[in-house]
């Protein structure tokens, strides 16, 4: 994911298969934010908005009575996005 400090980044975690052992706890941990823990949902979303440029990490940890799984996603925040123009050369 890439955007500017004005952008809100929404990430979604979906647990599959849906017949997994419950209860399920999802914990969101993102650079610069307090952790958020939610229980009982097989799908969950979290939104983050960073005010500083850089690469920020978001980790979601899913836990049930038998397993713990984590996944980390990187978000690149830049001060400005510039369009890229490719020249068309006719011969």
């Amino acid at each position: 994911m890439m955007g500017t400090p004005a952008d809100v980044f929404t990430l979604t975690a979906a647990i599959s298969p849906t017949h997994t052992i419950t209860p399920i706890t999802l914990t969101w941990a993102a650079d610069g934010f307090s952790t958020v823990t939610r229980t009982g949902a097989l799908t969950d979303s979290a939104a983050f908005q960073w005010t500083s440029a850089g690469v920020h990490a978001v980790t979601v940890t899913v836990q049930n009575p038998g397993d713990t799984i984590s996944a980390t996603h990187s978000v690149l925040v830049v001060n400005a996005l510039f369009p890229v123009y490719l020249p068309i050369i006719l011969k």
Side-chain angles (χ1 to χ4, degrees), residues 1 9-15 26 28 38 42-48 58 60 62 71 73:
M1 293 183 110
F9 299 90
T10 301
L11 290 92
T12 301
I15 311 304
L26 287 101
W28 294 92
R38 297 188 181 107
L42 294 176
T43 302
D44 190 45
S45 295
F48 305 97
V58 177
V60 62
V62 179
H73 190 77

Side-chain angles (χ1 to χ4, degrees), residues 58-76:
V58 177
T59 301
V60 62
T61 302
V62 179
Q63 189 172 22
N64 68 18
D67 293 306
T68 299
I69 299 171
S70 291
T72 301
H73 190 77
S74 295
V75 178
L76 175 61

Side-chain angles (χ1 to χ4, degrees), residues 8-85:
V8 175
F9 299 90
T10 301
L11 290 92
T12 301
I15 311 304
S16 180
T18 56
H19 63 276
T20 58
I21 299 171
T22 55
I24 291 181
T25 302
L26 287 101
T27 302
W28 294 92
D31 296 343
F33 292 89
S34 299
T35 58
V36 175
T37 301
R38 297 188 181 107
T39 304
L42 294 176
T43 302
D44 190 45
S45 295
F48 305 97
Q49 184 177 18
W50 289 274
T51 57
S52 61
V55 177
H56 302 281
V58 177
T59 301
V60 62
T61 302
V62 179
Q63 189 172 22
N64 68 18
D67 293 306
T68 299
I69 299 171
S70 291
T72 301
H73 190 77
S74 295
V75 178
L76 175 61
V77 178
V78 294
N79 287 325
L81 295 175
F82 298 100
V84 176
Y85 296 100

